[in-house]
Amino acid sequence: MGYVTLSFVGMLLVLQLCFAIPKPDADSPASRHEFNTDNKLYKATLEQFVKVAIPLGEQYGHLLEKVLEDLKAHEEAANYETQIKHLEELVKASKHLKGDSDDETLHNILKLESDVVGAHEESKKSSKHHLVHDLFDKAGAKKFLEEFHKDFTEFFDGFDDAFEEYAKDLSDEEKADHEDFLKWFKEFKEADDFDNRFEKFVGFFKFFNSENILEIR
């Protein structure tokens, strides 16, 4: 995962709100811990993720606009036509993150995060190989990254607590049926590298058959 990707992902994960898993009615699908998009842990996690992702995504869009403006004005702009076009598409996408549902918004967020990877590719036509990286630095990407390293721990702490509370409520039969899910959480908690931990976290949504994740990852 590249430097630019880290900046965006960092902003998305600044979730300082506590996870609140509702107690559903006994007859509701979520109360039976069904592993679909009605699952109470899935919905609570997604809600918190989306709640802060929209404004932070917009902030990231402003950062991209600064980079794009500086790159277009640079003497090497002609050698960065591909990167400029890519940045223009990212800026446009960052302005349309909000979907008609949290699931659609999640899809838009992860699609943007996936597309960001190519934003800092070097130009084969230019001798200034680190130009885009330097422009991101100038626009304030390092500050976002530093804030992320401080704040994302709070998000994962909240998620850890919510997951463990949810797991306590699973029956022995459900734990046996979803052993891979519990194993995933153990691996997630043990991951000490940011890249690995984020990828593990995104994998959480796959367990609930979220088409928005499956078609991107």
Side-chain angles (χ1 to χ4, degrees):
M1 190 179 297
Y3 171 84
V4 181
T5 308
L6 286 178
S7 299
F8 176 64
V9 171
M11 289 186 289
L12 292 183
L13 294 179
V14 181
L15 302 182
Q16 299 181 7
L17 300 175
C18 295
F19 283 82
I21 302 179
K23 295 294 184 181
D25 296 333
D27 294 332
S28 71
S31 69
R32 298 194 299 272
H33 301 112
E34 292 184 1
F35 274 53
N36 54 39
T37 53
D38 284 326
N39 180 282
K40 60 182 181 180
L41 179 61
Y42 172 87
K43 294 180 73 172
T45 302
L46 177 60
E47 180 182 1
Q48 295 301 328
F49 186 79
V50 167
K51 187 173 292 185
V52 297
I54 297 303
L56 291 173
E58 291 173 351
Q59 290 179 36
Y60 186 68
H62 295 322
L63 186 149
L64 289 172
E65 286 181 311
K66 292 179 182 178
V67 174
L68 179 59
E69 181 180 352
D70 288 346
L71 186 57
K72 284 183 173 180
H74 199 278
E75 60 183 10
E76 290 287 325
N79 294 323
Y80 278 87
E81 292 180 351
T82 299
Q83 287 79 1
I84 287 174
K85 182 178 180 180
H86 189 61
L87 284 168
E88 288 175 338
E89 293 173 350
L90 290 175
V91 169
K92 182 178 180 180
S94 70
K95 295 179 179 179
H96 299 88
L97 290 177
K98 181 65 175 176
D100 293 333
S101 66
D102 284 349
D103 285 291
E104 184 178 342
T105 301
L106 175 64
H107 173 274
N108 295 340
I109 291 168
L110 293 179
K111 180 66 167 60
L112 177 61
E113 181 267 322
S114 178
D115 291 344
V116 161
V117 176
H120 59 104
E121 290 182 355
E122 299 177 359
S123 171
K124 296 180 180 179
K125 300 179 181 179
S126 175
S127 60
K128 297 181 182 294
H129 299 305
H130 302 291
L131 177 58
V132 176
H133 182 282
D134 292 342
L135 292 179
F136 268 94
D137 273 350
K138 178 184 176 183
K142 280 189 175 181
K143 181 179 179 180
F144 279 121
L145 191 56
E146 290 171 357
E147 291 177 354
F148 161 71
H149 281 294
K150 176 177 65 71
D151 293 333
F152 90 94
T153 300
E154 296 181 22
F155 162 73
F156 285 130
D157 284 346
F159 176 73
D160 287 352
D161 292 343
F163 188 101
E164 291 177 355
E165 185 67 25
Y166 175 83
K168 288 179 183 178
D169 201 30
L170 293 174
S171 67
D172 290 341
E173 182 179 355
E174 287 171 329
K175 289 179 180 178
D177 288 342
H178 301 293
E179 183 179 358
D180 56 341
F181 184 54
L182 299 177
K183 179 182 178 182
W184 165 85
F185 181 64
K186 182 176 183 295
E187 293 174 349
F188 165 76
K189 290 200 67 170
E190 292 175 348
D192 55 4
D193 175 78
F194 172 76
D195 288 5
N196 292 333
R197 199 154 207 224
F198 175 73
E199 286 300 324
K200 281 290 183 183
F201 172 72
V202 172
F204 162 83
F205 296 104
K206 293 181 180 179
F207 287 98
F208 303 93
N209 298 316
S210 174
E211 295 180 358
N212 295 313
I213 307 300
L214 297 176
E215 66 181 54
I216 295 176
R217 286 297 197 274

